[in-house]
């Protein structure tokens, strides 16, 4: 059974850097094709994909946020870390991490399953 | 960036009725399209991938169809637990993108 859980601060101040950790079990991020992504959701709004890291350390970022994001993995700890710099109140959202692997012969796949999410509020 | 447009924004349906949700891509995504269900206070759950394949444990009343730019999620007979927000997502091109969601509410 695959599970993921997000952890990090619930409150950050504007201009600060947010660091979120996704701790997972039930799969290995050294297995070919496997990835872990981050997705966020502002209160009452839609889902927004942020970043994804693959088993081979290939990293993908949302173009609109690329300059502020860094995603890394620690395979031995079963963790993926997302950092977002220069936080702003508009970044207030629930942040999810999710497992991804191609269910058929393709380079990518859907997000399944997702962690429970962590609400991050940006306020002074 | 591929824009995913879902319609309608809100769908009012009576329990037991059929619900049909649409998702349109601004360019072809082949069949690399997923549908998710999200209930209040919960994380999204994968329902459909590959445009038409049900994920593990998803009831047969959920079905997906389409390819290219036009996709449909059909719930054949709505149960009380199906009232939720549904999102489509393409994973054919970077960046992967989500639609804005369709809320299925009780009529």
């Amino acid at each position: 059974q695959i599970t993921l859980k997000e952890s990090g601060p619930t409150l950050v101040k504007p201009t600060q850097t947010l660091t979120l950790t996704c701790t997972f079990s039930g799969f290995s991020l050294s297995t070919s094709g496997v990835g872990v992504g981050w997705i966020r959701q502002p209160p009452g709004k839609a889902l927004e994909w942020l970043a994804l890291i693959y088993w081979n350390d290939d990293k993908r970022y949302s173009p609109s946020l690329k300059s502020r994001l860094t995603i890394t993995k620690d395979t031995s700890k079963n963790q993926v870390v997302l950092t977002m710099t220069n936080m702003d109140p508009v970044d207030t959202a629930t942040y999810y991490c999710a497992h991804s692997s191609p269910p058929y012969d393709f380079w990518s796949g859907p997000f399944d399953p997702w962690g429970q999410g962590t609400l991050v509020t940006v306020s002074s | 960036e591929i824009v995913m447009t879902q319609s309608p924004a809100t769908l009012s349906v009576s329990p037991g009725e059929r619900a049909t949700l649409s998702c349109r891509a601004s360019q072809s995504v082949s069949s690399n399209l997923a549908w998710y269900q999200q209930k209040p206070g919960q994380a999204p759950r994968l329902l459909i991938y590959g445009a038409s394949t049900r994920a593990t444990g998803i009831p047969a009343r959920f079905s997906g169809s389409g390819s290219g730019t036009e996709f449909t999620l059909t719930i054949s007979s709505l149960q009380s637990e199906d009232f939720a927000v549904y999102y489509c997502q393409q994973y054919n091109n970077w960046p992967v993108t989500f639609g804005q969601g369709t809320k299925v509410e009780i009529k």
Side-chain angles (χ1 to χ4, degrees):
Chain A
Q1 179 192 7
I2 292 175
T3 63
L4 306 97
K5 187 173 184 179
E6 307 85 354
S7 59
T10 58
L11 179 66
V12 298
K13 290 180 167 52
T15 76
Q16 287 187 335
T17 294
L18 171 68
T19 299
L20 294 173
T21 300
C22 176
T23 303
F24 57 85
S25 64
F27 69 96
S28 173
L29 203 36
S30 59
T31 300
S32 178
V34 172
V36 172
W38 285 94
I39 305 100
R40 71 178 179 180
Q41 184 174 40
K45 295 188 177 181
L47 301 165
E48 178 185 19
W49 172 73
L50 302 176
L52 192 148
I53 189 165
Y54 282 108
W55 64 283
N56 59 357
D57 212 38
D58 183 17
K59 302 169 185 177
R60 304 284 173 160
Y61 296 101
S62 166
S64 63
L65 293 166
K66 184 175 183 177
S67 64
R68 299 173 54 204
L69 296 174
T70 302
I71 190 169
T72 60
K73 64 180 175 71
D74 187 329
T75 305
S76 65
K77 292 183 178 179
N78 282 354
Q79 290 182 333
V80 171
V81 175
L82 181 75
T83 61
M84 180 180 291
T85 62
N86 194 24
M87 293 292 285
D88 183 272
V90 300
D91 296 313
T92 294
T94 296
Y95 288 75
Y96 297 99
C97 63
H99 166 271
S100 176
S101 67
Y104 43 83
D105 187 17
F106 194 60
W107 58 268
S108 185
F111 294 109
D112 179 47
W114 298 51
Q116 63 188 27
T118 185
L119 176 61
V120 177
T121 301
V122 184
S123 175
S124 54
Chain B
E1 173 175 319
I2 296 176
V3 177
M4 307 301 291
T5 304
Q6 292 186 242
S7 61
T10 304
L11 187 61
S12 298
V13 185
S14 299
E17 290 188 340
R18 175 188 294 259
T20 302
L21 290 66
S22 295
C23 176
R24 174 177 293 179
S26 60
Q27 65 187 73
S28 177
V29 298
S30 186
S31 294
N32 299 308
L33 188 286
W35 289 95
Y36 302 87
Q37 176 193 66
Q38 187 178 33
K39 297 180 181 179
Q42 296 185 17
R45 176 177 70 146
L46 178 66
L47 297 176
I48 301 284
Y49 63 88
S52 61
T53 302
R54 279 189 302 277
T56 302
I58 301 303
R61 64 181 181 272
F62 291 92
S63 63
S65 64
S67 67
T69 62
E70 300 283 344
F71 301 89
T72 300
L73 174 69
T74 301
I75 312 171
S76 60
S77 177
L78 271 159
Q79 307 298 302
S80 57
E81 61 267 30
D82 300 335
F83 292 96
V85 179
Y86 293 83
Y87 293 95
C88 62
Q89 178 228 339
Q90 68 81 18
Y91 51 92
N92 193 67
N93 292 78
W94 293 112
V96 298
T97 47
F98 291 89
Q100 290 302 107
T102 290
K103 181 180 181 180
V104 177
E105 64 176 24
I106 300 174
K107 186 175 182 180

